[in-house]
Amino acid sequence: MIEKILISTVGTGIIGPLFIPFINKISENVRNLFTIFLVGIIFIFNCILMQNSFISNVSYTINFIPLMDLVIKLDPLSAFMATISSLTSLVIVIYSIDYISHYENRTEYYTMVLLFVGAMMGLVYSTNLIWMYIFWEITGFTSWRLVGFFRSDKDFLKANKTILVTVFGAIIMLIGIISIGLEYDTFDMKNLIGKEIGMIPALLILIGILSKSAILPFSTWLPDAGVAPSTVTSLLHAAVLVKIGTFAYAKLFGTVFNMPVEFNYIMLIISGIT
């Protein structure tokens, strides 16, 4: 039962956005209610998963090519992050119904918001480093579209800056992930628990985390992204998106890899300066 809820939590947010443009043909009100319903379901599922995260060791595997199996696993840290982010998303989607009702591009707005929620679920529950990176990039894509929601030249410029900075960091992070995979012949976190990784791949991954979390020297994209609607700023930049970096740091360097204390000092100093 918990296994089915786990895969449904991720699948709802990934598959659901595909139907929003078609439902919009029926009625905008139905589209809005459909989006609220799906985000609400994701939140309820996460509440159930959170309740069982300390007593259930549940995982689900979808086979792709070697080293690229999508493995999603329930653990307390992931369930906590997923519950908080889905609750925040639900409140913001409900608030959005009135807030963006007089703007254009509303269908794309709800599509991107729901896709962001789905990518977030995939990111926090995934235990394969490559799939974690894929979901990481999907959140960046949806953020790019949402920051440029108003479609003016200034909005496009700020949105492009947002995705360029975060994608640059993500590509550097991918290099670090690949180097770890080549060294240990696996991208599955459960096979990497307690492994000592070199300072170079650790710093490469850290660059991706810093760029997403708007930590110096990558912090300039965050205030520029304020051209987005207030609901987008609340969801992506104040509440959820920037916190992805914090989550990734906690999961990778707190529960998976065995890092020297000097690495933690580096992060502490950088965060303090920021």
Side-chain angles (χ1 to χ4, degrees):
M1 178 64 177
I2 299 299
E3 182 181 284
K4 293 180 180 179
I5 293 176
L6 180 61
I7 189 62
S8 297
T9 302
V10 178
T12 300
I14 297 298
I15 299 174
L18 300 176
F19 295 96
I20 291 181
F22 300 101
I23 293 177
N24 182 64
K25 301 294 184 181
I26 302 173
S27 167
E28 286 197 4
N29 289 331
V30 174
R31 177 203 63 200
N32 297 345
L33 292 174
F34 178 74
T35 306
I36 293 174
F37 172 76
L38 291 187
V39 179
I41 286 295
I42 292 172
F43 170 61
I44 293 171
F45 284 165
N46 279 315
C47 289
I48 298 172
L49 294 174
M50 183 69 184
Q51 185 180 13
N52 289 271
S53 61
F54 293 95
I55 58 176
S56 298
N57 186 21
V58 175
S59 63
Y60 188 91
T61 302
I62 301 177
N63 296 316
F64 286 93
I65 61 177
L67 302 180
M68 278 285 290
D69 291 341
L70 173 57
V71 182
I72 54 176
K73 184 177 182 298
L74 177 62
D75 64 81
L77 178 61
S78 299
F80 171 77
M81 186 67 181
T83 303
I84 295 300
S85 59
S86 58
L87 172 60
T88 306
S89 301
L90 177 60
V91 173
I92 290 174
V93 168
I94 294 173
Y95 186 82
S96 297
I97 291 178
D98 179 69
Y99 184 84
I100 69 163
S101 60
H102 55 288
Y103 295 122
E104 298 180 356
N105 309 311
R106 293 185 296 275
T107 298
E108 181 182 338
Y109 173 90
Y110 288 111
T111 302
M112 290 296 109
V113 168
L114 183 56
L115 181 58
F116 171 82
V117 174
M120 185 68 185
M121 297 304 102
L123 191 158
V124 299
Y125 286 121
S126 176
T127 65
N128 184 293
L129 290 173
I130 294 295
W131 278 100
M132 183 178 179
Y133 167 79
I134 291 172
F135 289 122
W136 185 282
E137 288 290 58
I138 294 175
T139 64
F141 169 77
T142 55
S143 177
W144 171 58
R145 297 302 300 172
L146 289 168
V147 169
F149 175 78
F150 291 121
R151 300 295 192 271
S152 70
D153 291 340
K154 181 182 73 172
D155 296 323
F156 280 130
L157 183 64
K158 303 300 186 182
N160 289 341
K161 180 178 180 179
T162 296
I163 195 169
L164 286 174
V165 172
T166 55
V167 166
F168 168 77
I171 292 174
I172 299 299
M173 180 175 69
L174 179 61
I175 296 173
I177 289 173
I178 291 175
S179 66
I180 293 172
L182 292 176
E183 179 178 359
Y184 292 104
D185 196 31
T186 182
F187 292 108
D188 196 332
M189 294 181 199
K190 70 175 182 291
N191 297 325
L192 294 169
I193 293 177
K195 301 290 186 182
E196 294 185 2
I197 62 173
M199 187 63 77
I200 291 180
L203 291 176
L204 292 176
I205 293 176
L206 184 61
I207 288 174
I209 292 173
L210 297 181
S211 67
K212 187 74 79 175
S213 298
I215 302 293
L216 283 173
F218 305 102
S219 56
T220 59
W221 69 263
L222 184 58
D224 287 340
V227 298
S230 294
T231 49
V232 173
T233 303
S234 299
L235 176 63
L236 302 185
H237 308 133
V240 181
L241 180 69
V242 176
K243 306 305 183 289
I244 290 176
T246 306
F247 167 81
Y249 184 90
K251 187 165 187 176
L252 296 179
F253 301 123
T255 66
V256 178
F257 300 125
N258 185 17
M259 301 304 301
V261 67
E262 292 79 10
F263 178 80
N264 296 326
Y265 288 153
I266 292 173
M267 187 61 193
L268 181 63
I269 292 170
I270 294 174
S271 300
I273 294 173
T274 300

